[in-house]
Structure formats: C-alpha cells, structure tokens
C-alpha cells in the first residue's frame, strides 16, 4: 500500500496551449483538471519544475496528492515529472500517469502498473526520466484512427462530436479510477473498473 509520509503524484499528460486543449492527446489534462476541482485546489506554476501543480487531499483526512500538468510538450514530459517526484520525494509506485491510449476502445479505462509504453511518447519520456517503468498508468481509451489516418494526426485532433457527448462522463469516471487507485489500491480499481 502507499507510503503515508509521501504524497501521490498524479500526472495528467498533454500538450500546453489552447490549440491543444480539446485534443485526444490531452485527456490526461482534462482528468487532473477535474480532480483539482474535486479537491478545491487551483493550478499554479511550480518553482522547480516546468509544470503546473495543484496540491490537496482526497477527501477529509485523505491521502495527500500533487496534481501535475507538465508544461513541456508531450515527448518531454518526463523531465518535469522526475523533478516533481524528486522535489516531493514521491516513490515511483505513487506516481500515476493519466494518458490517452490508442490500443483501447474509446471510453474504456484501464489501470496498470509498469509495462511498455505502446509508442506513447509521454510515457517513454517519463520512463526514461524516472529511470523505471514501475509507475502506475490510468489509460483512457481513444481507439484507433479511422481508415488510414496517421495515429500522430489522430491523437492531435479533437474528440468527434459523437465522442464529446460522452466525454464529460468518461473524464469523470477516469477521475474516479485515479481516486480509487490512491484510496483503495490498484487491484481494487482494476476489479471495479475493468468490466466496461
């Protein structure tokens, strides 16, 4: 279980800038934004890392969490994450990356610890900078691009109008998964949310 002496570092992966805000690749930002709202915390620039952070507790007397949005581009996310993990003394097992996942159907959510990066540049950068793959990932399924669309173009495009009808609900559910990982453990979250 978690080490109470150290906070959890909950990282939303995405690209900074308004032009990327609605992209599939930015769903990690959407989830941590919602979590910040839930705990009544506001994002502000961190003094030691190129990231925006919000700090608080999950529930009354609950675990301390640091929500983070790296303000580098996706493929350089690892530097800010490693700097924050060092600053807050967060062990890798209490780092949670929330990210888009091409290999899972739209709307499906999966939580896991370790494993490969599946071609995701944000995860690749995190693994390299942290020096380990043994951190937790909450994967938000975006599905494969239609037809012959390049996956790189697909992840940098906005959710479709059909997808947007469900997006708010799914981001909310993804935030529930993250909270469950922190408060009840990875295995509990997997059992609760991997059905759909």
């Amino acid at each position: 279980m978690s080490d109470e002496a150290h906070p959890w570092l909950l990282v939303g992966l995405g690209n900074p800038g308004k032009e990327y805000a609605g992209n599939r690749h930015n769903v990690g930002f959407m989830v941590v934004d919602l979590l910040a709202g839930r705990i009544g915390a506001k994002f502000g620039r961190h003094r030691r890392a190129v990231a925006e952070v919000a700090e608080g507790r999950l529930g009354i007397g609950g675990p301390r969490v640091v929500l983070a949005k790296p303000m580098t581009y996706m493929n350089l996310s690892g530097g800010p994450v490693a700097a924050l993990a060092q600053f807050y003394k967060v062990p890798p097992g209490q780092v949670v990356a929330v990210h888009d996942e091409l290999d899972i159907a739209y709307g499906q959510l999966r939580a896991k610890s370790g494993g490969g990066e599946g071609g995701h540049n944000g995860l690749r950068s995190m693994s390299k900078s942290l020096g380990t793959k043994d951190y937790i990932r909450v994967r938000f399924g975006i599905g494969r691009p239609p037809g012959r669309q390049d996956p790189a173009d697909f992840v940098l495009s906005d959710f479709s109008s059909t997808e947007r009808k469900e997006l708010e609900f799914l981001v909310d559910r993804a935030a529930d998964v993250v909270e469950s990982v922190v408060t009840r453990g990875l295995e509990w979250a997997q059992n609760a949310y991997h059905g759909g």
Side-chain angles (χ1 to χ4, degrees):
M1 237 8 224
S2 70
D3 176 350
E4 291 296 319
H6 304 292
W8 284 75
L9 179 57
L10 311 179
V11 181
L13 291 178
N15 285 308
K18 284 193 169 44
E19 67 272 32
Y20 298 106
N23 288 181
R24 293 179 174 90
H25 224 18
N26 271 43
V27 75
F29 276 15
M30 297 173 198
V31 174
V32 293
D33 280 340
L34 180 66
L35 284 166
R38 286 186 183 181
I39 65 171
K42 290 209 181 323
F43 278 97
R45 274 296 179 131
H46 194 269
R47 63 183 186 274
R48 292 274 179 85
V50 186
E52 288 190 356
V53 297
E55 298 179 46
R57 288 190 179 273
L58 289 182
I60 297 163
R64 284 190 307 139
V65 294
V66 177
L67 303 169
K69 296 189 286 188
M71 288 288 117
T72 54
Y73 287 102
M74 179 70 86
N75 58 347
L76 299 172
S77 302
V81 174
L84 291 169
Q86 193 173 13
F87 182 84
Y88 291 102
K89 300 180 172 49
V90 181
Q94 283 179 219
V95 175
V96 181
V98 186
H99 64 92
D100 57 306
E101 177 60 70
L102 285 161
D103 293 327
I104 301 174
Y106 177 69
Q108 290 196 343
L109 301 164
R110 296 285 182 269
K112 71 171 191 170
S113 178
E117 289 95 8
H120 195 290
N121 290 333
L123 292 178
R124 193 176 293 141
S125 176
M126 274 185 65
S127 298
K128 188 175 174 200
S129 296
L130 289 169
T132 181
K133 295 182 180 188
D134 295 334
Y135 53 90
I136 296 169
R137 301 97 188 272
V138 171
R139 305 150 78 202
F140 188 110
I142 59 169
R144 285 264 156 206
R148 293 170 177 239
Q149 187 180 6
D150 181 354
D153 293 334
F154 179 68
V155 298
L156 290 175
S157 59
D158 287 0
F159 286 99
S160 69
S161 54
T162 310
E163 289 170 336
R164 278 200 296 272
K165 287 184 182 125
E166 282 187 284
L167 186 60
E168 199 175 323
F169 165 76
L170 295 169
V171 167
D172 195 63
R173 194 169 159 85
D176 290 345
V177 175
V178 175
E179 283 199 23
S180 297
V181 166
V182 174
T183 58
R184 294 170 177 254
L186 178 61
E187 198 174 328
W188 189 95
Q190 288 170 331
N191 290 336
Y193 293 99
H194 283 199

